[in-house]
Amino acid sequence: MPRTLTVAAAQLGPIQMAEPRSVAVERMLRLLERGKARGAELVVFPELALTTFFPRHYYETIEEADPWFETAMPSNETAPLFAAARKWGIGFHLGYAEIAEEPDEAGRMRKRRFNTAILVGPEGDILLKYRKIHLPGHAERDPRRSVQHLEKRYFEVGDLGFPVIRAPMGGLAGVNMGMMICNDRRWPESWRVLGLQKVELVMLGYNTPSTNQEGQGFEAHHLRVFHSHLSIQAGAYQNSCFAVATAKAGVENGCELFGHSIIVDPQGEIIAMATSWDDELITADCNLDLCGLGRASVFAFEKHRRPEHYGRITSQVGAVDPPVWERKAAE
Ligand code: CDV
């Protein structure tokens, strides 16, 4: 019997600034119900799924942005999602902005803010939590940009690493599941740390604008989706895993997000893709045994990896100039 898990990417259309969480949750409940009807055992919602993508808005003090954050999970507003998961026996992945009163690295208790995702099991338990590590954008208002991207202002770098958990899901006794969030997908390091824990299914949500807003030069529009898919397909192939990548799509307060949610197999092939810029559910039956082929051959890490030559990956952040070639003096 193949180990098959039916997964769904529950893409969300835009959530406008004025829309309360209750509206987003209602839409997510409808997608969960559609997932149940289609046999989905695990439904993946996007990054910051409960609200508009608020880091595009500048607030002079960080505290002014606090209403966009969740102080409890589940909360009164998100409890219906947990109840639906229990009722229908479906797991789900949810991205949200988190405020936690926790000790920091120096042991000081304080309010900490993260861009977070959780994996909830079919009995409503939180099985895994991840806090976004690769935060894009900037911390101060950038006058050169027409749209701000202030993740570095509102969030701390995640402190939970890239965890993988083996837990029951759907009809399977154990599935190795891990998470990353949006910009993390562009960094091979994120995928490899999950791959080194034998991840079988990577869940990730994203909010990606249809144009490059950094103001550093021209990037053709079609490359935006291409780069997103390229990163996810390469990550899944090189780490022999499935990936469910779910977008927020459409025009949020004048800003266009490109959608194109996908489900990818361990060969790196797209096996399902969203075509709308609205709430849309795509599903795929994932035979997790397919993760075995890459792991036993090209990507048998234990046979072929050479970490003694990868030192720069963890010891160095920015790129350095190579030595300059010089003609050797004639002997
Ligand atoms: N939410 C994100 O992390 N968005 C980035 C954008 C800013 C490029 C992304 O990598 O998609």
Side-chain angles (χ1 to χ4, degrees):
M1 270 285 280
R3 291 173 61 238
T4 300
L5 185 72
T6 302
V7 300
Q11 178 173 289
L12 287 173
I15 302 177
Q16 307 307 336
M17 260 184 117
E19 277 181 81
R21 284 167 178 74
S22 54
V23 173
V25 168
E26 197 48 50
R27 285 163 57 184
M28 286 192 259
L29 287 171
R30 282 202 291 273
L31 287 163
L32 269 182
E33 191 171 13
R34 207 178 298 166
K36 176 66 188 165
R38 291 204 210 151
E41 298 168 300
L42 174 60
V43 174
V44 177
F45 292 111
E47 173 191 36
L48 302 179
L50 299 167
T51 65
T52 199
F53 188 75
F54 69 87
R56 70 169 75 90
H57 302 287
Y58 176 75
Y59 296 96
E60 212 147 288
T61 67
I62 312 286
E63 290 72 22
E64 281 173 89
D66 279 358
W68 297 113
F69 286 75
E70 311 305 311
T71 51
M73 190 56 67
S75 56
N76 286 344
E77 279 141 325
T78 52
L81 293 171
F82 287 72
R86 274 193 298 273
K87 182 166 114 195
W88 293 320
I90 305 183
F92 70 92
H93 161 284
L94 175 72
Y96 64 99
E98 176 193 18
I99 287 188
E101 189 72 33
E102 276 180 15
D104 60 18
E105 291 79 10
R108 196 164 51 94
M109 274 306 261
R110 62 180 175 84
K111 241 184 193 183
R112 306 187 65 189
R113 297 168 181 81
F114 298 100
N115 186 342
T116 295
I118 49 168
L119 170 64
V120 178
E123 285 162 17
D125 310 288
I126 295 178
L127 306 177
L128 192 63
K129 181 188 270 196
Y130 168 68
R131 289 168 169 169
K132 186 173 181 178
I133 287 176
H134 297 100
L135 296 174
H138 42 106
E140 297 305 326
R141 209 182 158 281
D142 183 348
R144 289 172 314 160
R145 294 181 61 119
S146 54
V147 182
Q148 303 295 302
H149 192 109
L150 292 153
E151 285 197 62
K152 280 187 160 65
R153 180 175 190 80
Y154 300 127
F155 303 123
E156 290 185 50
V157 172
D159 60 348
L160 303 175
F162 289 98
V164 174
I165 191 88
R166 184 172 182 82
M169 194 56 72
L172 302 177
V175 179
N176 300 353
M177 294 168 286
M179 295 185 275
M180 60 179 75
I181 300 178
C182 196
N183 192 258
D184 289 322
R185 73 195 187 284
R186 304 184 194 273
W187 299 89
E189 294 87 343
S190 319
W191 292 93
R192 185 47 48 90
V193 174
L194 294 175
L196 284 167
Q197 299 170 80
K198 298 189 180 175
V199 73
E200 293 174 308
L201 180 69
V202 173
M203 291 156 279
L204 72 101
Y206 62 95
N207 282 265
T208 306
S210 298
T211 54
N212 186 327
Q213 299 166 329
E214 297 208 22
Q216 304 289 331
F218 173 74
E219 187 179 276
H221 294 182
H222 72 280
L223 296 176
R224 301 291 285 175
V225 173
F226 172 66
H227 290 156
S228 177
H229 286 183
L230 178 70
S231 305
I232 297 161
Q233 291 178 254
Y237 165 61
Q238 292 168 349
N239 295 281
S240 313
C241 61
F242 285 87
V244 184
T246 309
K248 180 107 72 60
V251 182
E252 273 191 354
N253 295 101
C255 297
E256 191 179 285
L257 302 166
F258 65 55
H260 283 81
S261 303
I262 48 173
I263 303 176
V264 175
D265 73 12
Q267 298 288 5
E269 287 189 298
I270 295 175
I271 53 176
M273 180 161 73
T275 53
S276 78
W277 280 13
D278 216 327
D279 292 3
E280 179 177 347
L281 193 90
I282 56 169
T283 60
D285 296 329
C286 301
N287 174 359
L288 301 180
D289 292 335
L290 297 180
C291 301
L293 177 63
R295 276 180 204 175
S297 49
V298 183
F299 298 113
F301 291 163
E302 67 287 359
K303 289 189 196 142
H304 308 308
R305 289 187 76 250
R306 293 287 172 254
E308 66 276 23
H309 294 292
Y310 307 153
R312 284 186 192 272
I313 301 274
T314 53
S315 64
Q316 191 178 315
V317 182
V320 294
D321 291 324
V324 177
W325 179 82
E326 280 174 38
R327 191 177 297 282
K328 290 203 176 73
E331 293 186 4

